[in-house]
Amino acid sequence: MRSRYLHVSRAFIAAIGFTALTGIGYPTAFAQSVGGQAGSPAATTTIDGKQLPPPPPQFGGIIKEKAADSQPWWAPRVVPPKGAPNILLIMTDDQGFGAPSTFGGVIPTPAMDRIANAGLRFTNFHSTSLCSPTRAALITGRNHHSVGAGVVGEIATGYPGYDSIIPIEKATIGTILKENGYATSWFGKNHNTPSYQSSQAGPFTQWPTGMGFDYFYGFVGGDASQWQPNLFRNTTAIYPFEGNPGWNLETAMADEAIQYMKQLKEIAPEKPFFVYYVPGATHAPHHPTPEWIKKISALHLFDEGWNKLRETIFANQKRLGIMPDNARLTPWPKELPEWDSLGLEEKKLFIRQADVYGAYLAYADNEIGRVIQAVEDLGELDNTLIIYIGGDNGASAEGMLNGTPNEFTTFNGVDVPVKDQYLWYPFWGSERTFPHYAAAWAWAMDTPFKWVKQVPSHFGGTSQGVAMSWPGHIGDVGGIRRQFHHVIDIVPTLLEATGISAPETVNGIEQRPIEGTSMLYTWDKANATAPTRHTTQYFEMLGNRAIYDNGWVAATTPATRPWELSTATPPDVISGYKWELYNVDEDPTQFNDLAAAMPDKLKQLQDLFYAEATKYDVLPLDNSTLSRWNTPRPSLTAGRTEFTYSGELSGVPASAAPGTLNKSYTISADVEIPAGGAEGMIVTEGGRFGGYGLFLSKGEFGVGRGKIVFLYNLLDLKRTMWEGPELEPGKHTIVFDFKSDGKGLGTGGTGVLSVDGKEVASNTMDHTIPVTFPEDESFDVGLDTRTGVALIEYRYDSPFKFTGTIDKVTFKLGQ
């Protein structure tokens, strides 16, 4: 009987094969191996990983007529190769290369310092220059266009490189590690679910749980309030902040990740984890706790302004060796104001903005530090590869020139004057704001480089400081590495470190090759100055583009400014751009443009860019921005002009809700009011920072309860109300009819509120929201999740459930 087991086990080994890796400090000779007695419940096996999931083994027991004469047999449990580490992959958001202390910044980031001091700092590592494209590249090991993420998902278009769909032939690192025996989890920002697949109707194949992650705790979309986020556990919306003052996602997410790791190691101590930890910090809204605002403000880090800040950061970078001796600080752009040109009122506001941003980064790093400490407390630090990436692109200039108390003013093309921003000054960073700092701070946070987020041609948009540690496996603790690398290099690094092969097929689908290059060669001290193995890399975003090749960069000069959301026609995407040329081996900050002196070299690199663009689905190039927000894309609402709801429905994203922007519409609600009256939300979309609501008022001290109100919130800048009478018990039909003044973005119009066929209020608006409601809010019927649209008059607390009965709510959309 024993020989039968051995025979079957060897057959299984032969069926699933083996791979081999060589190196020092990581799995050195991964050959497929079986642990425990073959066929027993405790048996384990590694796999070659070429086919995921692996083919099922042939039953190896004996089956007779009677169980007493038969022999059971269990398929071995798949485990990673011996010595494969836990993985904690951390990436913050919109951080800026020069923001953290680890890379010369003035904002204290001791958790990032800890990883750098225990391992390596990488100073020439690059992103794609925008959020979801970088994240898609990070989890797949492929270029962002290769996985449908040529732009952020909110402006996806119908081309393979831009449709926001990660193809099934390009499986994520979550899928690969999960099928090889890892516990996989994702905490924080998920900007890789297409907006048109983000509703309760699914499909869920492009959610984290459909992309290889066993567990997801985080928000969906580009940003979210940290006080009242659009939060999910797996695919179910949750609201832990309700009735919980002071709750903040940064702390809650760390708590959740710590509990997840603790639980896993208590239940399955031998099972390694892959924790993908990606907080919303420091993307707007900048939402630190009051304690952190007080702590950072007391340090007066930003009192001397953005020009002096750049000089300080650059001096720190030279002192720390972050920048080599030949690096030069790039000039300040004429498009942004010099600090000394500002008035006292402007300086005071801008310092407040930066203090809150600095507090947000320090707070986020502190919570990341708690997660790292938990790894050590579990006794797992020496067996954990930790990669801490400082941002998914350069610092964001999307606060426009003056900053904003509400980021959605930017996305709707509205500039908020400094004097008006003082209305929010005392509350900056609290739940009353959705704030973003002035664009000049972003340029400073990207010291020593030019440009900012959205700009892929210059390192200010793409340079990310990276700290990486794995005790006992990195041979130059505290070292600095200057080799060129890109976010697509993380997946091959993880695969080489774990001894796991990239699959040939996943679920029967042949896989396309990984496009990145492992960074593991840099771990050896002998390779500290070795040539980079990632020799060529294209960059493209919104028509702006660049190509890196063996120490040279050819790049277009940005034709538009990221701090301006313009309706102006952009230049021709091919002929309308000037090109620059840099030898970044000798000029690491892109200071000295050699285009005029070396036209032949420039032409060679331009040709190489278009060859790479053809290879990786970058074409067709498109430099439009605002128009792409409203481009037709797959939708559950496409072609529909009438929508009907009843009872309660909550958490519906804008992509699955009736689209009322820039058109006429009618909302009809058939409700029944019980004896004693009613209050609560009938239907709403949006919240504190923009949206509308049809509701019965809460009243004050029993006075004014049950009045019918329609409220339109224009980006927290102006609220327009239609007010009707208190509704008596019984059935009623409420109608709000809005007639737009004409086609065009943000066009105003006239609204009429009627009850039981009788007009009760009429009002006009000069402007409506032109482009988007807050994306972290939702469409709700019968309640209002997250934040309310009212501020002072008719204020209420969420969820503000309707206490009557909603028989039917109907939307009819016009032109």
Side-chain angles (χ1 to χ4, degrees), residues 237-260:
I238 57 175
Y239 307 93
F241 45 82
E242 287 185 358
N244 192 0
W247 185 97
N248 188 290
L249 180 57
E250 292 299 314
T251 294
M253 191 174 80
D255 290 344
E256 190 82 7
I258 291 167
Q259 176 59 25
Y260 172 87

Side-chain angles (χ1 to χ4, degrees), residues 323-335:
M323 283 291 118
D325 292 340
N326 63 336
R328 301 172 69 184
L329 180 61
T330 53
W332 185 257
K334 65 181 184 301
E335 296 90 351

Side-chain angles (χ1 to χ4, degrees), residues 390-472:
D392 56 354
N393 42 244
S396 171
E398 292 162 352
M400 307 181 81
L401 285 179
N402 292 327
T404 176
N406 176 10
E407 183 189 28
F408 291 98
T409 60
T410 297
F411 296 153
N412 285 284
V414 178
D415 181 32
V416 185
V418 167
K419 63 181 178 61
D420 292 342
Q421 293 190 47
Y422 269 92
L423 293 171
W424 290 271
Y425 182 93
F427 318 112
W428 207 272
S430 77
E431 65 177 12
R432 302 185 192 186
T433 62
F434 210 94
H436 201 306
Y437 57 25
W441 286 124
W443 200 286
M445 295 301 172
D446 286 330
T447 300
F449 306 114
K450 303 180 215 178
W451 293 99
V452 292
K453 176 184 176 181
Q454 297 186 20
V455 179
S457 54
H458 293 72
F459 290 169
T462 67
S463 283
Q464 318 300 148
V466 174
M468 188 180 301
S469 74
W470 184 10

Side-chain angles (χ1 to χ4, degrees), residues 118-196:
L120 297 171
R121 276 178 290 186
F122 293 83
T123 65
N124 196 6
F125 181 95
H126 297 269
S127 67
T128 70
S129 81
L130 264 182
C131 302
S132 49
T134 291
R135 292 160 190 271
L138 175 64
I139 62 174
T140 63
R142 280 93 169 183
N143 286 297
H144 57 301
H145 295 85
S146 290
V147 286
V151 288
V152 290
E154 290 84 350
I155 56 174
T157 54
Y159 298 99
Y162 299 90
D163 61 10
S164 72
I165 296 289
I166 294 177
I168 57 177
E169 69 271 19
K170 297 174 183 178
T172 72
I173 186 64
T175 294
I176 296 170
L177 294 181
K178 176 182 177 179
E179 295 294 349
N180 278 274
Y182 271 78
T184 58
S185 57
W186 181 331
F187 297 89
K189 178 172 175 174
N190 164 26
H191 203 185
N192 294 118
T193 297
S195 58
Y196 51 87

Side-chain angles (χ1 to χ4, degrees), residues 551-600:
W552 289 85
V553 170
T556 57
T557 305
T560 56
R561 301 167 186 171
W563 50 88
E564 295 178 354
L565 190 65
S566 175
T567 57
T569 301
D572 183 87
V573 72
I574 302 298
S575 62
Y577 286 76
K578 177 180 178 291
W579 282 77
E580 304 168 14
L581 178 67
Y582 300 96
N583 180 345
V584 292
D585 277 351
E586 299 178 1
D587 175 23
T589 65
Q590 296 175 297
F591 186 96
N592 185 25
D593 180 8
L594 302 172
M598 303 182 69
D600 292 343

Side-chain angles (χ1 to χ4, degrees), residues 475-664:
D476 186 19
V477 171
I480 290 175
R481 296 294 183 267
R482 305 191 193 282
Q483 290 92 345
F484 179 93
H485 281 290
H486 190 269
V487 68
I488 62 175
D489 297 340
I490 295 297
V491 164
T493 302
L494 297 182
L495 294 180
E496 186 174 1
T498 58
I500 291 173
S501 299
E504 294 178 358
T505 64
V506 174
N507 295 325
I509 304 298
E510 184 177 351
Q511 295 295 291
R512 303 289 294 170
I514 301 290
E515 294 164 6
T517 302
S518 174
M519 302 167 66
L520 199 142
Y521 71 96
T522 66
W523 293 4
D524 192 332
K525 189 172 184 177
N527 287 334
T529 59
T532 183
R533 296 183 183 178
H534 191 136
T535 56
T536 303
Q537 178 61 49
Y538 81 89
F539 296 84
E540 191 277 339
M541 192 67 62
L542 302 169
N544 203 36
R545 48 208 183 271
I547 184 78
Y548 168 89
D549 186 61
N550 290 296
W552 289 85
V553 170
T556 57
T557 305
T560 56
R561 301 167 186 171
W563 50 88
E564 295 178 354
L565 190 65
S566 175
T567 57
T569 301
D572 183 87
V573 72
I574 302 298
S575 62
Y577 286 76
K578 177 180 178 291
W579 282 77
E580 304 168 14
L581 178 67
Y582 300 96
N583 180 345
V584 292
D585 277 351
E586 299 178 1
D587 175 23
T589 65
Q590 296 175 297
F591 186 96
N592 185 25
D593 180 8
L594 302 172
M598 303 182 69
D600 292 343
K601 183 65 176 179
L602 177 61
K603 180 62 165 59
Q604 173 196 342
L605 291 174
Q606 289 172 319
D607 291 344
L608 179 59
F609 170 83
Y610 287 107
E612 295 291 287
T614 302
K615 181 178 179 181
Y616 292 116
D617 286 336
V618 181
L619 305 178
L621 296 176
D622 184 352
N623 61 358
S624 63
T625 54
L626 188 60
S627 62
R628 278 202 268 183
W629 277 95
N630 296 318
T631 191
R633 56 183 62 92
S635 169
L636 299 174
T637 64
R640 296 174 61 189
T641 58
E642 188 165 332
F643 303 77
T644 302
Y645 310 93
S646 63
E648 285 188 3
L649 176 67
S650 65
V652 179
S655 61
T660 59
L661 296 180
N662 304 308
K663 60 171 64 74
S664 299

Side-chain angles (χ1 to χ4, degrees), residues 14-309:
I16 59 179
F18 68 91
T19 65
L21 292 174
T22 60
I24 298 173
Y26 49 91
T28 56
F30 167 44
Q32 191 276 333
S33 62
V34 174
Q37 182 178 340
S40 73
T44 62
T45 185
T46 56
I47 59 175
D48 73 351
K50 294 180 180 178
Q51 178 180 333
L52 298 179
Q58 180 182 352
F59 179 71
I62 298 174
I63 299 177
K64 301 290 187 181
E65 291 181 348
K66 294 167 58 177
D69 299 330
S70 303
Q71 181 67 50
W73 187 91
W74 295 93
R77 178 170 52 89
V78 174
V79 295
K82 184 176 177 60
N86 303 304
I87 300 166
L88 175 57
L89 176 58
I90 303 161
M91 184 170 68
T92 54
D93 201 344
D94 284 10
Q95 183 168 300
F97 180 83
S101 59
T102 319
F103 289 87
V106 300
I107 303 168
T109 51
M112 194 178 206
D113 292 345
R114 175 181 182 178
I115 301 307
N117 292 336
L120 297 171
R121 276 178 290 186
F122 293 83
T123 65
N124 196 6
F125 181 95
H126 297 269
S127 67
T128 70
S129 81
L130 264 182
C131 302
S132 49
T134 291
R135 292 160 190 271
L138 175 64
I139 62 174
T140 63
R142 280 93 169 183
N143 286 297
H144 57 301
H145 295 85
S146 290
V147 286
V151 288
V152 290
E154 290 84 350
I155 56 174
T157 54
Y159 298 99
Y162 299 90
D163 61 10
S164 72
I165 296 289
I166 294 177
I168 57 177
E169 69 271 19
K170 297 174 183 178
T172 72
I173 186 64
T175 294
I176 296 170
L177 294 181
K178 176 182 177 179
E179 295 294 349
N180 278 274
Y182 271 78
T184 58
S185 57
W186 181 331
F187 297 89
K189 178 172 175 174
N190 164 26
H191 203 185
N192 294 118
T193 297
S195 58
Y196 51 87
Q197 294 185 5
S198 61
S199 78
Q200 299 91 325
F204 298 106
T205 53
Q206 296 275 312
W207 283 63
T209 53
M211 292 191 288
F213 293 86
D214 294 314
Y215 186 71
F216 170 59
Y217 178 91
F219 62 92
V220 177
D223 59 16
S225 166
Q226 302 299 289
W227 302 111
Q228 299 104 355
N230 56 327
L231 188 62
F232 292 83
R233 179 172 281 114
N234 298 323
T235 59
T236 300
I238 57 175
Y239 307 93
F241 45 82
E242 287 185 358
N244 192 0
W247 185 97
N248 188 290
L249 180 57
E250 292 299 314
T251 294
M253 191 174 80
D255 290 344
E256 190 82 7
I258 291 167
Q259 176 59 25
Y260 172 87
M261 294 186 298
K262 174 182 178 292
Q263 174 180 282
L264 175 69
K265 288 304 178 180
E266 289 177 348
I267 296 172
E270 299 302 318
K271 187 169 189 174
F273 59 71
F274 170 48
V275 172
Y276 178 44
Y277 193 87
V278 280
T282 54
H283 195 294
H286 302 155
H287 275 166
T289 61
E291 294 79 10
W292 279 98
I293 295 176
K294 182 178 180 180
K295 183 182 299 187
I296 295 300
S297 297
L299 298 177
H300 300 284
L301 302 175
F302 307 104
D303 288 7
E304 295 184 284
W306 39 63
N307 298 108
K308 180 64 176 177
L309 178 65

